[in-house]
Amino acid sequence: MSKAKAVTSVLDSLYKAYHKDAGKMLIHTGTIGWVLSSAAQIAGIMMNDKIPKEQKMFLIPQEFMDACVNILSFYFVTRSFTSVANKLTKTGRWIPSNVKNHLIKNGFKDRIGKFDFNIFKDVKLTGSPKRSFELFYNGLGVVATTIGSVISCNFITPVLRNLYASHRQKTTLASINNPNPSLQNPQTPRDKARAAIHHTYMQAFMNRGNLKI
């Protein structure tokens, strides 16, 4: 397969996957953006020669966990908003008036808004009602996805990240103030290795405020 055909094939696949659901496209591209941004942040720490190796042992896992919180909260919160909007449209609870009139004329009046009703599967729309329904479905999906992403990025994700950071800080401080006895006076080679790692981790945590990336 030539490069041109390969590119065309990929574009065709993307079109088939997203042309009827623009909201899903925004969710996926937003999630990919979060993943790439987090990967770049972690890579920047790994390649920064000004950060000591011991401090990287603390920063890299921390950034990875922050990335997981950011990505998962963005995806699930935004996806929830989009799913609700799509469901309301598919069942006919939120649809343009001409589509609703078309459904009533064709004997679907009692099913409009029912949870098990799906306009895509149960009704064969054509002409103007079909175009109106598809445009409305895509438009509402985009609006719901945008609202979900704004709420996620500006309210929910920061709260979750702060809760995680607070828990991590309390756990680390508790470990500093009340260390495991086996780490204070290690006797076996395994405990000595664990003690060395623990000391490195604690030192990186205490020096974190002076780091500049």
Side-chain angles (χ1 to χ4, degrees):
M1 182 183 292
S2 65
K3 291 183 178 180
K5 289 183 177 180
V7 172
T8 301
S9 177
V10 171
L11 293 177
D12 287 342
S13 298
L14 291 174
Y15 176 77
K16 291 178 182 179
Y18 296 119
H19 80 285
K20 289 185 178 181
D21 196 343
K24 181 171 70 174
M25 179 188 69
L26 292 178
I27 293 174
H28 290 173
T29 53
T31 302
I32 291 172
W34 270 110
V35 171
L36 294 177
S37 175
S38 300
Q41 178 72 6
I42 293 172
I45 294 173
M46 294 175 64
M47 294 185 293
N48 193 331
D49 296 333
K50 296 181 180 179
I51 303 177
K53 182 179 179 180
E54 293 78 9
Q55 293 175 346
K56 289 182 180 181
M57 292 173 62
F58 171 78
L59 286 173
I60 292 175
Q62 172 191 281
E63 290 297 331
F64 176 78
M65 291 305 300
D66 281 348
C68 289
V69 172
N70 293 337
I71 294 167
L72 292 176
S73 63
F74 171 82
Y75 180 83
F76 286 111
V77 171
T78 307
R79 184 61 183 169
S80 297
F81 272 78
T82 308
S83 296
V84 170
N86 288 347
K87 187 66 177 180
L88 290 172
T89 308
K90 289 177 182 179
T91 59
R93 189 170 294 274
W94 287 358
I95 51 176
S97 58
N98 65 327
V99 178
K100 185 175 183 178
N101 292 334
H102 178 81
L103 295 178
I104 293 174
K105 289 180 181 179
N106 285 273
F108 294 100
K109 180 178 180 180
D110 294 335
R111 298 193 63 188
I112 295 175
K114 300 293 184 181
F115 187 81
D116 60 346
F117 183 50
N118 189 328
I119 294 177
F120 281 113
K121 296 180 179 179
D122 301 332
V123 184
K124 291 184 179 180
L125 294 176
T126 58
S128 177
K130 180 181 180 180
R131 290 192 295 272
S132 296
F133 179 74
E134 290 179 348
L135 286 173
F136 185 84
Y137 180 84
N138 263 327
L140 186 61
V142 170
V143 171
T145 302
T146 303
I147 293 173
S149 64
V150 169
I151 293 176
S152 172
C153 294
N154 292 280
F155 298 99
I156 297 178
T157 297
V159 170
L160 292 177
R161 187 169 58 239
N162 289 339
L163 287 174
Y164 164 71
S166 176
H167 172 74
R168 184 180 62 230
Q169 185 181 48
K170 290 178 181 178
T171 302
T172 304
L173 291 175
S175 181
I176 292 174
N177 296 326
N178 300 290
N180 190 315
S182 65
L183 300 180
Q184 288 181 299
N185 299 298
Q187 300 298 324
T188 66
R190 181 180 180 182
D191 285 342
K192 289 180 179 179
R194 290 177 58 204
I197 295 174
H198 177 78
H199 175 74
T200 299
Y201 183 87
M202 293 301 105
Q203 193 63 40
F205 174 80
M206 296 175 69
N207 294 337
R208 180 169 173 256
N210 297 324
L211 295 180
K212 293 183 179 180
I213 302 174

